[in-house]
Every structure is written in C-alpha cells, then in structure tokens.
Amino acid sequence: MNGPATTPGPTSRGSWTEALTRWVEGLVPRGQWLPDRQPVYVASWIYVFGVACLASLVVIIASGLVLTLGGVTWWHASTFGHFVNSVHLWSVELFFATMVIHLWGKFFMASWRGNRGLTWATGALAFFGSLGTAFTGYLIQTNFDSQWISTQAKDGLNAAAIGAWFNVMDLGQMVLWHVSLLPLVVGFIVAVHLLLVRRRGVAPPIGAVDPSSEPSSPVAAPASTRSRR
C-alpha cells in the first residue's frame, strides 16, 4: 500500500534565474523600476532636464551608430550623411545643455541628501566622462576644425607627459576612444546613476518631506508630498 504523496520541500540550491532575481530585487526593490506614482514636486520643470539629457543620449548613440557604418569621412560627400551628422551634433549640444542645467539644479537642491551622495557622484562623473567623449568627437571630424583642435591640444598633452599614450594626432586612436572606449565608460556610469536614482528615488526640494524616509502609517500624507499619477 502506497503512503500519502509528499510535496518535495525547497531545494537548498536555487536556479541561477532565482539568484539573479534576488540580486536585482536587492539592488532595486520590486515596483521601483518604473513606478506609476511619483511625489507631486516631480511635476516641477527642474526634474525634466534629467530625462531630457537621457533622451538626448539615446539620440546621440543612435546617430553615432549610423555614422560609423560608412567610415570616418563618408558623411562629407553624402546628403544623408550630412543630415545624420547634424542630428548627432545637435543632440550633443542638447545633451550638454540639459546636463548642465540638471547638474546645477541638483547642486542647489543639495541632492546628495538622504544617502544620495553616490547618486550625485556618479552624475558628476558622467559629466566629466562626457567631456572627454565630446573632445575626441571634435578630433575625428576630418576637417580643418579638427585639425586645428588636434594641433593645439597636442602641445598641452605633451607638456603633461601623456601625449605618447593619448595621441590626438592619431585619427585611428581617437576614433577608437570616441566610438568604443569612452562611450562604454560613460554608458556604465549612466547605468549606475539610473540604478541609484531608482533605488533611492528622486531628490526632494529643500524643505519637502522625502517619501522614501517617511515611516509607513495610515495617516494621510500632507499635500506637498502626495503622489500623483
């Protein structure tokens, strides 16, 4: 006679997908990746510039990938190439304009409050990394502008004793820095920055109550911190 069926208990070793899920939820709790509610102060225009900066970065990457398909100089003799290069250039201009406004806005908001110091630091690092990426972009324009910039920059870099490793007169090396190395660094820093923003939440204005630091209670929140859809 067979005994009652038994349900196997949990195994001591879970699958790699379960481990990955636990690791991701440890970084950003479930429901905070794309929340459907935000504090009411997020409707302020100062919070728009971070998203605008991120959208500009997406256009920069997309237009840059199209430019790489034809090589270094093809866009000089192509109408479509001129268009894509212009899109790339103006998206870079918009990227830096929105990033500077975003950076100064968060500085005067003291956005490192509430254990957000690393969020602030990664944002600043992304700005400085973007400066290097933009500099190498100017060097690979293959026109008189890039020629003048490279000849002026080489003296300063040689004086700093780094010209042997970072040769601005070497077009191939600058293309590698601009297309591959620096975008990977900036992309990684931006990804960490976004992860921290989702983990800690957006920084509240000075004087507003931080929802992430409020204890859970049945009492209704004040009007200045109520969430909006």
Side-chain angles (χ1 to χ4, degrees):
M1 182 176 180
N2 294 332
T6 59
T7 303
T11 58
S12 58
R13 294 181 58 188
S15 65
W16 67 270
T17 55
E18 294 176 352
L20 180 62
T21 301
R22 288 193 298 269
W23 180 73
V24 171
E25 291 182 352
L27 293 176
V28 179
R30 190 183 297 249
Q32 289 186 208
W33 278 104
L34 295 173
D36 60 349
R37 289 177 177 270
Q38 289 286 0
V40 67
Y41 50 73
V42 177
S44 172
W45 274 98
I46 196 61
Y47 290 93
V48 173
F49 293 101
V51 178
C53 181
L54 183 61
S56 303
L57 180 61
V58 173
V59 179
I60 290 171
I61 295 174
S63 58
L65 289 175
V66 175
L67 286 174
T68 60
L69 296 178
V72 180
T73 61
W74 72 278
W75 58 272
H76 286 294
S78 168
T79 303
F80 178 69
H82 276 296
F83 171 75
V84 177
N85 183 70
S86 297
V87 171
H88 190 70
L89 171 64
W90 287 107
S91 58
V92 170
E93 301 286 349
L94 184 61
F95 172 76
F96 275 101
T98 53
M99 178 182 277
V100 168
I101 297 174
H102 178 63
L103 188 64
W104 279 109
K106 297 307 174 183
F107 175 79
F108 288 110
M109 196 183 292
S111 294
W112 48 83
R113 294 171 293 124
N115 296 324
R116 295 182 177 90
L118 190 57
T119 308
W120 166 259
T122 52
L125 285 176
F127 173 72
F128 289 113
S130 300
L131 290 178
T133 310
F135 173 65
T136 55
Y138 279 115
L139 294 173
I140 65 173
Q141 295 178 100
T142 58
N143 55 18
F144 288 113
D145 187 21
S146 61
Q147 182 181 0
W148 187 87
I149 294 173
S150 59
T151 53
Q152 299 302 310
K154 71 176 179 61
D155 295 331
L157 294 174
N158 289 337
I162 60 176
W165 296 274
F166 190 77
N167 184 6
V168 294
M169 301 294 289
D170 188 340
L171 178 62
Q173 186 184 96
M174 293 301 102
V175 170
L176 179 63
W177 277 98
H178 183 73
V179 175
S180 179
L181 299 178
L182 289 175
L184 287 176
V185 173
V186 173
F188 175 77
I189 297 174
V190 170
V192 174
H193 183 71
L194 293 176
L195 178 68
L196 293 171
V197 170
R198 291 270 55 90
R199 180 179 176 87
R200 299 293 184 184
V202 296
I206 296 177
V209 179
D210 191 347
S212 62
S213 63
E214 283 186 305
S216 57
S217 64
V219 181
S224 60
T225 60
R226 286 177 188 163
S227 297
R228 58 179 290 152
R229 285 190 181 272

